[in-house]
């Protein structure tokens, strides 16, 4: 599909990207997350959500260079899954997901020590939006990774093993998926690093089937119930579709929810004349809107991810021209011991039917 050219990137930058891509040919695989800028997406060989991008990176053994336009944990995940002789490059290593940074290995180890004292069977599950050492932690404790596309399946799998889930770092997604599996508020316990297991609230550690972490996505958390009421009042008959990182208030009022790929596919397949309010990152919503001119599409709220936006066409060009000169700017490296364990946690996720 021909993608629309935005006018705010210098033409010489766009020409430079196109020229470098041509010179690198099949050696290069350019991956971009759905939330990336249009002038990056239009040059990507593949665009997708975090699960799709991880699978694409792992299934591309012929690419010598994988340039990953997204936040850093996704480039790190590609590094973990690719062959050692492939190079993964990230145009802006400082583009770091704030949600991923809301849980450190020290904090998680401390929580695990306390949770282990309960004498319950608990399996850790880490959202893919996390640093590699947390994925490695899950591998060491019989746990695994999940994404927004498969989180429900992974929770069901753990619960079916008569184990409780210890999920980090996104509280909202954990609550939303637990509720969709008919767990009550009493069966969820929010881990508080200050008060540990002594926290007061609706859930209790003994009854908990899911232990949650107090992390959130800054983009999705600000979307509120008043935004849903507003679009419904403004556009009668509109359907609201949201990402599960939204708060339970928004999630419960939405008509549908799912990963970015689910959102895109659902809206793309809906009949002409459909009306949608989409609760996720603005760049992505705007693109779906342009690709579906016969439908009414509005953002639930205009929110951009500032970290994703740190990857710019100019920075992409710098990486590509470096590759043409046989340099490796923005090379991603992950400690091999951490990578080995993280790979196990990722493989467990991909193996669950
Ligand atoms: S949209 Fe949210 S979860 Fe995604 S990279 Fe930005 S801050 Fe992180």
């Amino acid at each position: 599909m021909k993608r629309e050219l935005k006018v705010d990137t210098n033409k010489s930058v766009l020409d430079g990207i196109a020229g470098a891509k041509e010179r690198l040919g099949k050696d290069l695989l350019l991956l971009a997350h759905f939330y990336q800028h249009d002038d990056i997406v239009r040059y990507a060989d593949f665009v997708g959500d975090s699960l799709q991008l991880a699978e694409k990176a792992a299934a591309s053994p012929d690419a010598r260079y994988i340039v990953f336009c997204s936040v850093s944990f996704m480039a790190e995940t590609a590094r973990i899954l690719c062959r050692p002789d492939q190079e993964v490059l990230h145009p802006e290593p400082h583009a770091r997901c704030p949600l991923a940074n809301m849980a450190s290995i020290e904090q998680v180890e401390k929580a695990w020590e306390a949770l282990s004292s309960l004498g319950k069977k608990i399996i850790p599950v880490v959202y893919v939006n996390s640093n590699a050492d947390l994925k490695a932690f899950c591998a060491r404790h019989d746990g695994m990774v999940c994404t927004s596309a498969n989180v429900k399946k992974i929770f069901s799998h753990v619960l079916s093993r008569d184990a409780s889930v210890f999920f980090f770092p996104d509280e909202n997604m954990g609550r939303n998926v637990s509720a969709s599996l008919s767990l009550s508020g009493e069966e969820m316990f929010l881990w508080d690093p200050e008060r540990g297991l002594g926290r007061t609230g609706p859930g209790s550690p003994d009854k908990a089937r899911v232990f949650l972490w107090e992390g959130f996505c800054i983009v999705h958390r600000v979307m509120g119930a008043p935004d849903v009421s507003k679009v419904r009042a403004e556009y009668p008959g509109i359907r609201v579709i949201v990402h599960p990182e939204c708060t339970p208030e928004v999630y419960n009022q939405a008509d549908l929810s799912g990963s970015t790929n689910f959102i895109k596919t659902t809206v793309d397949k809906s009949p002409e004349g459909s009306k949608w309010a989409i609760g996720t990152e603005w760049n992505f919503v705007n693109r779906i809107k342009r690709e579906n001119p016969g439908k009414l599409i509005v953002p639930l709220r205009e929110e951009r991810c500032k970290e994703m936006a740190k990857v710019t066409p100019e920075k992409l060009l710098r990486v590509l021209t470096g590759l043409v000169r046989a340099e490796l700017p923005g090379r991603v490296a992950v400690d091999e011991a951490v990578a080995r364990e993280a790979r196990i946690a990722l493989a467990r996720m991909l193996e669950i039917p």
Side-chain angles (χ1 to χ4, degrees):
M1 184 193 309
K2 190 171 184 300
R3 298 189 183 113
E4 194 176 320
L5 174 66
K6 285 198 73 171
V7 290
D8 54 356
T9 304
N10 189 312
K11 185 170 181 308
S12 66
V13 173
L14 299 177
D15 289 347
I17 294 172
K21 263 205 83 178
E22 204 176 318
R23 287 186 67 177
L24 291 163
K26 284 196 297 203
D27 281 349
L28 173 71
L29 177 70
L30 179 53
L31 300 178
H33 189 268
F34 280 132
Y35 296 168
Q36 286 288 296
H37 191 286
D38 286 338
D39 287 338
I40 288 176
V41 164
R42 65 194 294 269
Y43 290 108
D45 297 306
F46 184 79
V47 185
D49 63 20
S50 53
L51 176 61
Q52 293 174 302
L53 294 171
E55 287 174 333
K56 184 71 183 173
S60 305
D62 296 335
R64 213 166 134 201
Y65 309 118
I66 297 176
V67 177
F68 212 114
C69 296
S70 179
V71 284
S72 59
F73 77 81
M74 291 190 204
E76 218 178 56
T77 305
R79 173 62 280 162
I80 290 163
L81 292 172
C82 289
R83 280 200 332 250
D85 60 322
Q86 293 178 292
E87 293 289 353
V88 177
L89 302 112
H90 187 207
E92 177 46 271
H94 296 296
R96 302 187 70 82
C97 168
L99 169 60
N101 288 341
M102 286 180 193
S104 70
I105 185 66
E106 293 77 18
Q107 292 170 316
V108 169
E109 297 268 17
K110 193 173 158 204
W112 183 249
E113 201 183 316
L115 296 181
S116 301
S117 72
L118 292 170
K120 297 169 72 134
K121 183 173 174 189
I122 304 175
I123 294 180
V125 175
V126 65
Y127 188 26
V128 71
N129 295 36
S130 57
N131 298 321
D133 51 4
L134 296 191
K135 296 179 176 84
F137 168 89
C138 285
R140 289 197 293 281
H141 297 286
D142 199 25
M144 63 209 80
V145 178
C146 76
T147 71
S148 58
N150 61 24
V151 57
K152 192 169 176 180
K153 183 172 71 173
I154 302 279
F155 270 42
S156 299
H157 170 80
V158 173
L159 295 169
S160 73
R161 290 170 65 187
D162 282 330
S164 298
V165 180
F166 173 32
F167 180 61
F168 42 92
D170 190 17
E171 178 189 348
N172 288 324
M173 183 180 293
R175 282 199 189 282
N176 292 333
V177 72
S178 299
S180 77
L181 290 167
S182 304
L183 297 185
S184 68
E186 294 217 331
E187 292 173 292
M188 303 174 213
F189 183 85
L190 183 63
W191 168 256
D192 181 334
E194 298 299 315
R195 303 170 84 170
L197 294 170
R199 183 193 173 95
T200 50
S204 79
D206 292 335
K207 288 194 185 144
R209 309 260 352 252
V210 176
F211 293 90
L212 298 163
W213 192 267
E214 216 168 350
F216 55 87
C217 163
I218 52 171
V219 171
H220 292 97
R221 188 169 84 152
V222 292
M223 297 176 189
D227 296 316
V228 179
S229 308
K230 190 163 165 247
V231 291
R232 289 207 195 279
E234 208 166 325
Y235 307 101
I238 200 163
R239 303 191 79 204
V240 177
I241 185 166
V242 302
H243 193 278
E245 287 168 15
C246 287
T247 61
E249 293 72 32
V250 169
Y251 181 88
N252 291 336
Q253 288 192 28
D255 298 292
L256 290 168
S257 97
S259 67
T260 39
N261 186 46
F262 171 81
I263 293 172
K264 179 169 166 38
T265 309
T266 304
V267 175
D268 284 349
K269 285 186 176 164
S270 65
E272 291 295 289
S274 306
K275 297 187 230 174
W276 292 99
I278 305 180
T280 191
E281 208 269 350
W282 180 86
N283 267 309
F284 176 56
V285 178
N286 224 14
R287 194 171 312 120
I288 299 182
K289 181 183 164 87
R290 281 201 313 276
E291 290 174 358
N292 289 274
K295 301 167 196 174
L296 186 143
I297 295 169
V298 293
L300 183 59
R301 189 181 164 116
E302 283 190 20
E303 290 297 329
R304 294 169 178 81
C305 177
K306 292 190 184 73
E307 293 301 314
M308 286 276 183
K310 285 182 180 170
V311 180
T312 61
E314 289 77 8
K315 291 172 188 170
L316 170 61
L317 176 60
R318 201 162 61 220
V319 170
L320 297 183
T321 47
L323 289 176
V324 168
R325 286 193 225 108
E327 295 162 5
L328 296 172
R331 180 174 182 268
V332 178
V334 178
D335 176 86
E336 187 39 40
V338 172
R340 197 173 330 116
E341 288 183 326
R343 213 173 286 131
I344 294 169
L346 285 159
R348 283 187 193 140
M349 167 184 84
L350 297 172
E351 277 161 15
I352 291 175

